[in-house]
Amino acid sequence: MSDITPADRWALLPAGIREQADGYVLQDARMGAIRVVFEAGRARGMGLRDAQLVVHERYLRYGDSIARTPRSPLDLESLAARAAGLPGRVVAVEAVWDGDTVHDWFVDLLAVTAEPAGEHRLATIHTDPAAAADRAGRALAAHLAVPFHFASPDTPDDEAPRRRP
């Protein structure tokens, strides 16, 4: 189906599927929309990449009408409040790369706790992720008087060495 446009692929889908997929798009639930289009479109010769292109075109069509997922706050007061509400004592702040086919590379800012031991996501950063995570993470770590760790601030690497206790 590579010679067919996303609009043509969209027209191949039943009206109910198109309505459901648009509902997901308007809620900024890209993966749900792709799943619905892929499952229904598979019987019409659509592959996963075709479904992704169809949903991408729907995102372009709706533009500013989409209820975008709010960005994580990165101000010190908000991050400190989140850290204060965690179970256990925060012993470090860490920035860790992650990525997927929808969002590309992003950085999770984590609080590492002791008693109980664990790590807790404080923020997910998509825009200028390395610089923003470094800035916010260092500020929070200084505020909490704990170490900050970002193993790969210059290059996205989801296998970079993690902080060791």
Side-chain angles (χ1 to χ4, degrees), residues 89-160:
R89 178 177 52 87
V90 176
V91 295
V93 176
E94 184 172 21
V96 178
W97 284 103
D98 200 354
D100 59 39
T101 57
V102 174
H103 299 103
D104 199 18
W105 287 105
F106 53 90
V107 175
D108 284 328
L109 192 61
L110 308 173
V112 180
T113 58
E115 301 171 22
E119 57 185 39
H120 310 271
R121 183 179 304 122
L122 300 173
T124 299
I125 308 163
H126 295 278
T127 305
D128 192 18
D134 190 66
R135 190 171 40 255
R138 286 185 188 285
L140 179 61
H143 175 78
L144 299 174
V146 299
F148 174 68
H149 182 257
F150 193 177
S152 183
D154 299 321
T155 306
D157 183 357
D158 57 355
E159 295 181 9

Side-chain angles (χ1 to χ4, degrees), residues 3-165:
D3 57 336
I4 298 175
T5 69
D8 292 336
R9 291 183 190 105
W10 180 249
L12 291 174
L13 297 170
I17 297 299
R18 292 193 311 257
E19 184 177 325
Q20 184 181 28
D22 275 350
Y24 279 122
V25 168
L26 289 167
Q27 294 174 14
D28 198 20
R30 186 179 301 261
M31 296 307 290
I34 290 170
R35 181 184 49 79
V36 166
V37 170
F38 175 63
E39 288 174 354
R42 193 172 22 210
R44 291 168 168 79
M46 279 191 222
L48 180 58
R49 181 72 180 138
D50 298 322
Q52 291 171 324
L53 291 171
V54 166
V55 170
H56 176 72
E57 289 295 319
R58 302 311 290 170
Y59 265 80
L60 293 177
R61 180 193 184 287
Y62 285 112
D64 291 339
S65 299
I66 297 169
R68 300 287 180 175
T69 304
R71 293 182 182 181
S72 297
L74 297 178
D75 62 284
L76 179 58
E77 184 179 9
S78 296
L79 292 171
R82 285 188 167 168
L86 295 174
R89 178 177 52 87
V90 176
V91 295
V93 176
E94 184 172 21
V96 178
W97 284 103
D98 200 354
D100 59 39
T101 57
V102 174
H103 299 103
D104 199 18
W105 287 105
F106 53 90
V107 175
D108 284 328
L109 192 61
L110 308 173
V112 180
T113 58
E115 301 171 22
E119 57 185 39
H120 310 271
R121 183 179 304 122
L122 300 173
T124 299
I125 308 163
H126 295 278
T127 305
D128 192 18
D134 190 66
R135 190 171 40 255
R138 286 185 188 285
L140 179 61
H143 175 78
L144 299 174
V146 299
F148 174 68
H149 182 257
F150 193 177
S152 183
D154 299 321
T155 306
D157 183 357
D158 57 355
E159 295 181 9
R162 297 288 308 272
R163 179 192 169 275
R164 301 247 182 229

